[in-house]
Amino acid sequence: MDLFQYDFMMRALMGALIIGLAAPALGIYLVQRRLSLIGDGIGHVALTGVGVGLLLNQSPVISAVIVAAIGAVGVELIRERGRTSGDLALALLFYGGIAGGVVLVALSDDASSNSLVQYLFGSLITTSPEDIAVIAVLGAAVLIAMLAFRPALFAVCNDEEYARVSGLPVRALNILMAVTTAVTVTIAMRTVGLLLVSALMVIPVAAAQQVTRGFRTTMAAAMAIGLVAAGAGVVVSAEADTPPGATTVILALAVFVAITVGAAGWRVVRRRVHPPHEVEPPDVVLQEVR
């Protein structure tokens, strides 16, 4: 634990905890809409924003947020108009974003493989105080938006047509989700990297769903799991000298497996202790008409 006497490790832990809370809070809506992999697509677009920032000698985080938000809104509008299917629009994000990012990073003054690796797989220990300030402000904004608009966002994610008939501003809410997804992806790239950011959005939610029923309870449990996985990931990576992003994802997966196995075992024990009542035979049996 001596490593946490240094400022850069405290900044790493702070950034991880912020993302650990914000990513599952958004991820539960994406899982509800069956868009669990959209974070990967937006992550590739964010790489283009990173390239723009490096090329212009500006903050890569800010430029990535702007470019990713524009790309996410564009895809949402294309999906809404129905001119391009959702999976095709997502494929365009994947290919165009990664290609643009690689080219722009190669053209920048900092043209090295390390420039790509630290954004693709995360680099918490190089997080500057300015990066932490941006992560804290944007992470808090995402968290507040997900909690404040929870009823409306749940309605849109559960049944978009019903939400529209009910008078909810469906387009505005969809754009809000697209923008907050882009923001979450870009601020999380310093924690788990652009290639692993979807894992921190989805895995805590999947783990929470194994033991919870209501939407609010699942959201709270997912945020708790994300917070624990992110904090433990930084601590374990510091002690074991492993990449923080990958370590965080592996720990989140371990929590998912443990909860799934534990929940399955509990159901088996409960059935043995309290066996289901035998169903009484029906009074009337209808004969099949030939």
Side-chain angles (χ1 to χ4, degrees):
M1 293 296 177
D2 293 337
L3 286 174
F4 287 93
Q5 296 177 358
Y6 300 100
D7 291 340
F8 71 90
M9 286 303 302
M10 293 304 299
R11 290 195 297 268
L13 181 61
M14 187 183 304
L17 294 178
I18 293 171
I19 301 303
L21 275 177
L26 170 66
I28 190 170
Y29 298 104
L30 300 180
V31 172
Q32 187 75 15
R33 297 188 70 178
R34 294 178 173 84
L35 293 174
S36 300
L37 296 179
I38 194 172
D40 287 328
I42 296 179
H44 286 70
V45 174
L47 186 61
T48 297
V50 170
V52 171
L54 293 177
L55 188 64
L56 301 178
N57 293 320
Q58 301 296 323
S59 172
V61 176
I62 298 297
S63 60
V65 168
I66 295 173
V67 173
I70 294 173
V73 172
V75 168
E76 178 58 36
L77 294 177
I78 291 173
R79 184 196 65 82
E80 181 184 293
R81 294 177 180 271
R83 295 183 179 179
T84 305
S85 62
D87 59 340
L88 180 57
L90 198 58
L92 295 175
L93 275 178
F94 269 75
Y95 305 138
I98 194 72
V102 171
V103 169
L104 291 176
V105 170
L107 293 175
S108 67
D109 294 334
D110 192 13
S112 66
S113 59
N114 290 332
S115 301
L116 280 177
V117 170
Q118 66 178 345
Y119 292 104
L120 290 176
F121 299 102
S123 182
L124 268 176
I125 59 175
T126 62
T127 304
S128 65
E130 292 77 14
D131 290 336
I132 286 296
V134 172
I135 291 172
V137 171
L138 295 181
V142 170
L143 191 58
I144 291 172
M146 294 302 100
L147 295 176
F149 295 98
R150 179 172 56 195
L153 290 174
F154 174 77
V156 172
C157 294
N158 193 50
D159 191 337
E160 190 169 306
E161 293 301 324
Y162 176 78
R164 184 175 285 108
V165 172
S166 300
L168 291 174
V170 174
R171 173 179 290 183
L173 291 171
N174 283 333
I175 291 177
L176 173 65
M177 286 203 56
V179 172
T180 50
T181 302
V183 170
T184 305
V185 167
T186 48
I187 63 176
M189 68 184 178
R190 302 295 278 172
T191 307
V192 294
L194 294 174
L195 295 183
L196 297 174
V197 62
S198 283
L200 206 54
M201 292 182 180
V202 174
I203 296 174
V205 177
Q209 286 178 337
Q210 305 301 312
V211 292
T212 57
R213 294 181 180 270
F215 184 83
R216 181 182 301 179
T217 307
T218 303
M219 186 178 192
M223 292 169 62
I225 293 171
L227 187 68
V228 171
V234 174
V235 174
V236 172
S237 66
E239 295 294 330
D241 194 21
T242 55
T247 305
T248 299
V249 173
I250 289 174
L251 290 177
L253 283 170
V255 171
F256 169 77
V257 172
I259 291 178
T260 302
V261 173
W266 171 250
R267 286 192 291 267
V268 171
V269 171
R270 191 170 63 175
R271 280 198 298 267
R272 291 182 177 179
V273 175
H274 302 287
H277 299 289
E278 295 183 0
V279 179
E280 296 183 359
D283 294 332
V284 178
V285 178
L286 298 178
Q287 297 294 332
E288 181 180 356
V289 178
R290 298 182 181 277

